[in-house]
Amino acid sequence: MKFIQEKHRLVFLLTTFCYHIYIAQGKRAQGILSSKRDFVYLDRFCFQSDTGALEYTFRYPMFYPTQMLLLYFDTEDQWPRAYKELNTCEDRVQLLANHSENHQIIYLSPYALDSSGNGRCQIHSDGLGQQWIACSGTRVFRSARSRWWFLAIANCDPSESEDRRLYNNESIGIYAEFTLQMTNGLPTEVLKYQFSIDEWLILPSDTLFLGLQSILIVCVFLMGKSLSARRLYHNTFRMCSQSITMNTIGLGFLVTNYIIYAIDGIGLPIILTSGQFIRALADMLFMYMCLVLARGLNVTKMLLSWLDKLFLVGMFIVFICSYLLMQFWEIKFFDPAEVYAQSESLPAYLLVIWRLTAWVFFVVAALMSRSDSPQKSAFFTSFVFLMTPWFWAPPIFTMIANFCLNNWVRAEVVNIVDNIVTFYGYIIFLYLSRPSDNNQNFPFHIRTTQVDVDVGFDPQRAYAENNGNQTNDGMHGVIELTVTNMNTPEKDSDSPAHSDDRGVLERPQIASS
């Protein structure tokens, strides 16, 4: 028997290694469970009342104690009490035995009968002559509302002798090969069938915003083409366009994963993780663009100070470390029997603090830039006022989601809000930077190909000198600077070109249609 147990343990380790990500993400869970404990958590799912169903199969050697599948729901007197307060397997089973009319205990024994009088388990032999117990069945969940159900397996059948469950006063443990399929609704309801109640709106909302952001990419391309024609396509606008593109690609990955998930209940976890990471990087790039633009890059200056650069690099490092820590925290420390979402973890709160810190720098930098360049005060005021909701909405809604929202709607609502906030930020920036004659807040004035920062260019003096009779809204009176070689010998004053050799010339641009 010891050899067989060791062989089963080896199979369990290999299977767990191969299927770890597969099992963790899917609502069609399968694997091999081997433990020395007599009570083990299996999985959880948010079922809709009357339409939620669980299909299960279990298979374990007959010499093991009788296994039991236990079904707890999410009220304080059920799963939280069983998981946190009660310590023995017998007490946890007795908790459900007190509600025997709910049929929350499923005995995986060939000698137990279901409510219809039919046995749900059979005994069969494998090629080595070892006897196995194979069980299968279906459970439909009926409750007052949609709720989370937690599945556990135990071996403390009160009808069995204690000697069968113990070996040298220690639990023999649990061994089971299992398959679980948890569904809501009918198979024809593709957007609901494989999804937990809290995930129903994720695929439709992601698909909607994927379409909207694809349209946004077209708008960015047209705006970029117009700015390039005027030689006003600066790095800040380029960073925004790259962020939108990355976010759309990441969203495409998520939609692909959820479409496959809707079909097989498993999806592609690698695609899901990649999409989430790409969107996080896109969000970081857009925030970096907001910070450098608030500091006046491409608006009032062409280079950032070393202090600005150090702070921005530090912010980027903190973000990457916090995000990676959140992913590692989820893999290493998250207890799926207790935690419902990433937003409930410590690294998630660190990201909240990081975002608010970035907002403080954003506001201070914009106020400093506005003070240094009064001519651009309208842009910086509008920029701060309109972008502040983009900074504050995720932290505020994280708190609302963690402490106010019901856990059976949290995931889909958080996903929708995240998509709305991201899309809002892109729309606001593109609105402020649209190359239109009536856009008085247009931030860019200096042409991309005609400024050499090594020759003592002073944008403030250039702006002041240009504020004569010409309007300076970005579409009229664009500052055009030509830099000549300062090492060129002076020409004769009688030379016809003498009047053109003045280092930097200021030439108002004729308004373009």
Side-chain angles (χ1 to χ4, degrees):
M1 180 182 294
K2 183 177 180 181
F3 171 76
I4 295 176
Q5 289 179 340
E6 292 297 328
K7 181 180 72 171
H8 290 158
R9 190 172 294 111
L10 178 61
V11 173
F12 164 72
L13 292 175
L14 292 175
T15 306
T16 301
F17 177 78
C18 296
Y19 286 96
H20 172 70
I21 296 180
Y22 225 54
I23 294 173
Q25 298 293 340
K27 300 308 176 188
R28 185 193 298 269
Q30 58 185 10
I32 300 175
L33 176 63
S34 179
S35 174
K36 283 295 184 182
R37 295 181 295 168
D38 53 10
F39 179 90
V40 179
Y41 163 80
L42 269 181
D43 210 334
R44 60 185 170 90
F45 193 73
C46 192
F47 290 100
Q48 185 184 33
S49 180
D50 293 329
T51 64
L54 166 68
E55 296 182 16
Y56 62 87
T57 60
F58 285 88
R59 182 174 178 267
Y60 64 95
M62 192 169 181
F63 61 78
Y64 267 84
T66 299
Q67 318 288 338
M68 294 180 292
L69 178 61
L70 309 178
L71 310 174
Y72 298 87
F73 51 80
D74 55 6
T75 57
E76 290 297 326
D77 63 335
Q78 288 246 330
W79 178 248
R81 183 163 183 259
Y83 191 70
K84 297 179 181 179
E85 299 178 15
L86 302 180
N87 297 319
T88 66
C89 177
E90 290 79 5
D91 290 340
R92 289 162 173 164
V93 173
Q94 185 60 41
L95 178 65
L96 296 183
N98 295 334
H99 303 276
S100 58
E101 70 279 1
N102 294 334
H103 307 291
Q104 293 175 245
I105 302 177
I106 302 176
Y107 292 92
L108 304 177
S109 168
Y111 309 110
L113 302 178
D114 62 17
S115 57
S116 62
N118 298 317
R120 63 173 65 89
C121 298
Q122 296 179 346
I123 301 174
H124 66 87
S125 301
D126 61 12
L128 299 177
Q130 182 180 357
Q131 289 187 315
W132 290 72
I133 297 176
C135 306
S136 61
T138 302
R139 273 290 185 272
V140 176
F141 295 85
R142 294 181 175 89
S143 55
R145 59 166 174 83
S146 299
R147 62 169 77 249
W148 284 94
W149 286 82
F150 297 83
L151 283 61
I153 189 169
N155 72 350
C156 51
D157 183 355
S159 64
E160 281 193 324
S161 65
E162 187 175 358
D163 293 341
R164 177 169 166 78
R165 295 189 286 112
L166 300 179
Y167 181 75
N168 290 337
N169 294 323
E170 292 185 2
S171 172
I172 294 179
I174 296 171
Y175 178 89
E177 301 172 3
F178 67 94
T179 299
L180 303 172
Q181 183 175 6
M182 294 157 280
T183 58
N184 282 306
L186 301 175
T188 54
E189 300 175 296
V190 179
L191 298 179
K192 296 181 179 181
Y193 184 62
Q194 301 282 6
F195 292 95
S196 178
I197 287 291
D198 67 322
E199 299 173 331
W200 273 8
L201 296 180
I202 290 182
L203 178 56
S205 62
D206 281 358
T207 303
L208 172 63
F209 281 94
L210 177 61
L212 291 176
Q213 290 192 182
S214 298
I215 296 174
L216 213 58
I217 288 181
V218 176
C219 296
V220 168
F221 173 77
L222 296 177
M223 290 175 62
K225 187 176 180 181
S226 177
L227 291 173
S228 296
R230 295 176 169 90
R231 288 180 289 177
L232 297 173
Y233 193 88
H234 286 285
N235 288 332
T236 44
F237 190 90
R238 181 177 291 108
M239 282 188 283
C240 177
S241 63
Q242 291 171 346
S243 174
I244 295 174
T245 303
M246 290 174 60
N247 198 284
T248 306
I249 293 174
L251 204 54
F253 279 19
L254 298 185
V255 170
T256 301
N257 167 75
Y258 285 121
I259 289 175
I260 298 175
Y261 183 90
I263 296 173
D264 63 8
I266 298 173
L268 295 174
I270 295 179
I271 297 296
L272 175 65
T273 303
S274 299
Q276 292 172 339
F277 184 68
I278 292 173
R279 294 195 73 192
L281 288 181
D283 194 54
M284 175 61 198
L285 180 61
F286 185 75
M287 181 173 290
Y288 179 82
M289 183 278 300
C290 291
L291 297 181
V292 298
L293 192 61
R295 198 62 191 94
L297 184 67
N298 301 147
V299 180
T300 65
K301 63 178 68 174
M302 299 305 293
L303 283 178
L304 296 175
S305 67
W306 279 106
L307 184 61
D308 294 332
K309 292 178 180 179
L310 287 176
F311 178 82
L312 292 170
V313 169
M315 290 285 291
F316 181 79
I317 292 175
V318 170
F319 170 81
I320 291 295
C321 292
S322 298
Y323 182 83
L324 294 179
L325 178 62
M326 185 172 66
Q327 301 301 318
F328 174 78
W329 194 285
E330 181 181 13
I331 295 173
K332 188 69 177 178
F333 299 108
F334 266 24
D335 186 349
E338 292 186 285
V339 179
Y340 292 100
Q342 284 184 334
S343 60
E344 297 177 72
S345 66
L346 175 62
Y349 289 111
L350 293 178
L351 287 176
V352 167
I353 297 173
W354 171 85
R355 196 176 186 102
L356 296 179
T357 303
W359 175 79
V360 172
F361 176 84
F362 170 74
V363 173
V364 172
L367 292 177
M368 292 173 59
S369 299
R370 189 181 70 169
S371 176
D372 294 339
S373 178
Q375 297 85 357
K376 304 300 296 179
S377 61
F379 165 74
F380 287 113
T381 300
S382 300
F383 193 41
V384 170
F385 179 76
L386 294 175
M387 287 302 301
T388 292
W390 183 85
F391 281 89
W392 275 88
I396 291 176
F397 199 77
T398 295
M399 300 297 106
I400 294 175
N402 289 347
F403 299 105
C404 299
L405 285 182
N406 293 321
N407 53 41
W408 61 87
V409 298
R410 185 178 303 165
E412 58 187 8
V413 175
V414 168
N415 182 74
I416 292 173
V417 171
D418 179 65
N419 282 328
I420 291 174
V421 171
T422 300
F423 191 73
Y424 170 83
Y426 293 148
I427 287 292
I428 290 301
F429 176 76
L430 295 179
Y431 170 77
L432 292 176
S433 59
R434 69 191 188 281
S436 168
D437 286 343
N438 62 357
N439 182 12
Q440 300 299 320
N441 291 323
F442 187 78
F444 308 123
H445 293 78
I446 308 167
R447 290 192 169 185
T448 56
T449 59
Q450 294 182 304
V451 174
D452 187 340
V453 296
D454 295 327
V455 296
F457 166 68
D458 183 0
Q460 302 308 319
R461 182 173 61 82
Y463 286 144
E465 292 175 357
N466 194 61
N467 281 341
N469 298 324
Q470 297 273 352
T471 59
N472 196 6
D473 62 357
M475 295 294 97
H476 303 87
V478 175
I479 299 173
E480 183 177 330
L481 300 169
T482 303
V483 179
T484 63
N485 189 346
M486 303 305 292
N487 296 323
T488 304
E490 281 192 26
K491 297 184 181 179
D492 191 352
S493 59
D494 296 333
S495 172
H498 175 71
S499 59
D500 292 333
D501 190 9
R502 301 181 218 167
V504 177
L505 297 182
E506 218 176 276
R507 295 179 295 176
Q509 178 191 3
I510 298 175
S512 58
S513 57

